[in-house]
Amino acid sequence: MGRSSKDKRDIYYRLAKEEGWRARSAFKLLQLDHEFNLFSDVNRAVDLCAAPGSWSQVLSRKLRGREEKGEKANGGEEVKIVAVDLQAMAPLPGVTQIQGDITKVSTAQEIIRHFEGQPADLVVCDGAPDVTGLHDVDEYIQAQLLLAALNITTHVLKPGGTFVAKIFRGKDVTLLYSQLKIFFSSVTCSKPRSSRNSSIEAFVVCENYSPPEGYVPNMSNPLLDHSYGNYKEWEEWKCLTLVWCCGASA
């Protein structure tokens, strides 16, 4: 009841209803695009942990809208958008849905198949766990989710491409930045206006994907995983992380 009342007083909640967005989180991606020009030269985009679909909606409206106006990027290639989540979501125009696990190489292969063998220009992930209130636990699980999203991104993103993901700012955030900088020449943390001040969330915008020479993506082990605090290792947390990550709209 408390959260519902809070949402109804929120300007972005009302705007989302008025403009037909599935969640207020759509404005976070719109504002990140305004700041970083994310959609420039993007024809192939992937939305990880996509449910309920507000970020896929943004991608569809922006990229397909540009295409319908005849403003094609990258030599006029067709716009293709793939949304990935463990749970099904209502269909969206121009969005291909994959109901799959982002820690499985088969999911990465299916994404590439939908792009007819071509890599993505942009990968986004707004996934987050249900917040427990135990900050160390929340930060740990979100860090592991971000690493899982980064891992599959290394399988599907083109050199020079962009990766955007939610991050919880905490004691280990510097370590996460250093891991991301191994793969991207530019890593910037941003907190859009529509992200509540009370929330510890922010977003990392990772530009110019340039993996280390000789790096081969591998799903069998968590990418660059480290021990966060004294918590259990990735394999014991993975299922919980993926169940909790989907459909974030805070």
Side-chain angles (χ1 to χ4, degrees), residues 51-219:
S54 62
W55 278 30
S56 293
Q57 270 187 302
V58 171
L59 293 170
S60 178
R61 289 192 193 181
K62 287 291 186 177
L63 301 185
R64 293 179 69 248
R66 182 189 65 203
E67 185 178 51
E68 289 167 1
K69 293 177 183 176
E71 302 170 359
K72 294 185 178 181
N74 287 338
E77 294 179 17
E78 181 185 357
V79 167
K80 295 182 179 180
I81 302 163
V82 173
V84 183
D85 204 287
L86 281 175
Q87 51 182 299
M89 65 184 195
L92 284 166
V95 177
T96 299
Q97 292 188 40
I98 297 174
Q99 196 168 348
D101 183 338
I102 66 171
T103 69
K104 301 295 185 184
V105 70
S106 58
T107 303
Q109 291 168 344
E110 189 171 355
I111 292 170
I112 294 296
R113 279 199 298 273
H114 285 297
F115 290 153
E116 298 180 353
Q118 297 299 310
D121 303 311
L122 171 69
V123 178
V124 300
C125 179
D126 189 34
D130 290 334
V131 176
T132 67
L134 301 173
H135 294 307
D136 286 346
V137 173
D138 293 336
E139 291 164 16
Y140 173 80
I141 297 174
Q142 183 63 25
Q144 297 301 336
L145 173 59
L146 188 151
L147 290 175
L150 173 60
N151 204 349
I152 192 170
T153 294
T154 65
H155 287 73
V156 304
L157 186 63
K158 74 175 186 181
T162 300
F163 171 59
V164 180
K166 181 176 289 185
I167 190 170
F168 285 177
R169 295 171 298 174
K171 60 179 171 46
D172 290 315
V173 74
T174 302
L175 174 59
L176 287 171
Y177 292 161
S178 67
Q179 293 172 330
L180 290 165
K181 286 177 181 177
I182 293 172
F183 292 90
F184 297 89
S185 63
S186 173
V187 177
T188 308
C189 185
S190 177
K191 188 172 177 68
R193 296 187 309 278
S194 52
S195 178
R196 295 188 177 94
N197 291 333
S198 59
S199 172
I200 62 173
E201 75 168 12
F203 294 87
V204 282
V205 178
C206 308
E207 299 172 287
N208 190 24
Y209 175 56
S210 47
E213 185 177 353
Y215 174 75
V216 178
N218 183 356
M219 285 289 196

Side-chain angles (χ1 to χ4, degrees), residues 3-33:
R3 177 165 184 171
S4 176
S5 299
K6 179 179 177 181
D7 281 346
K8 288 177 182 177
R9 293 193 301 268
D10 183 274
I11 183 173
Y12 292 106
Y13 176 90
R14 296 196 301 271
L15 281 173
K17 292 291 186 184
E18 292 171 6
E19 297 180 13
W21 300 111
R22 292 186 177 181
R24 67 186 298 285
S25 54
F27 294 102
K28 299 173 188 177
L29 185 55
L30 289 168
Q31 289 164 3
L32 288 169
D33 172 51

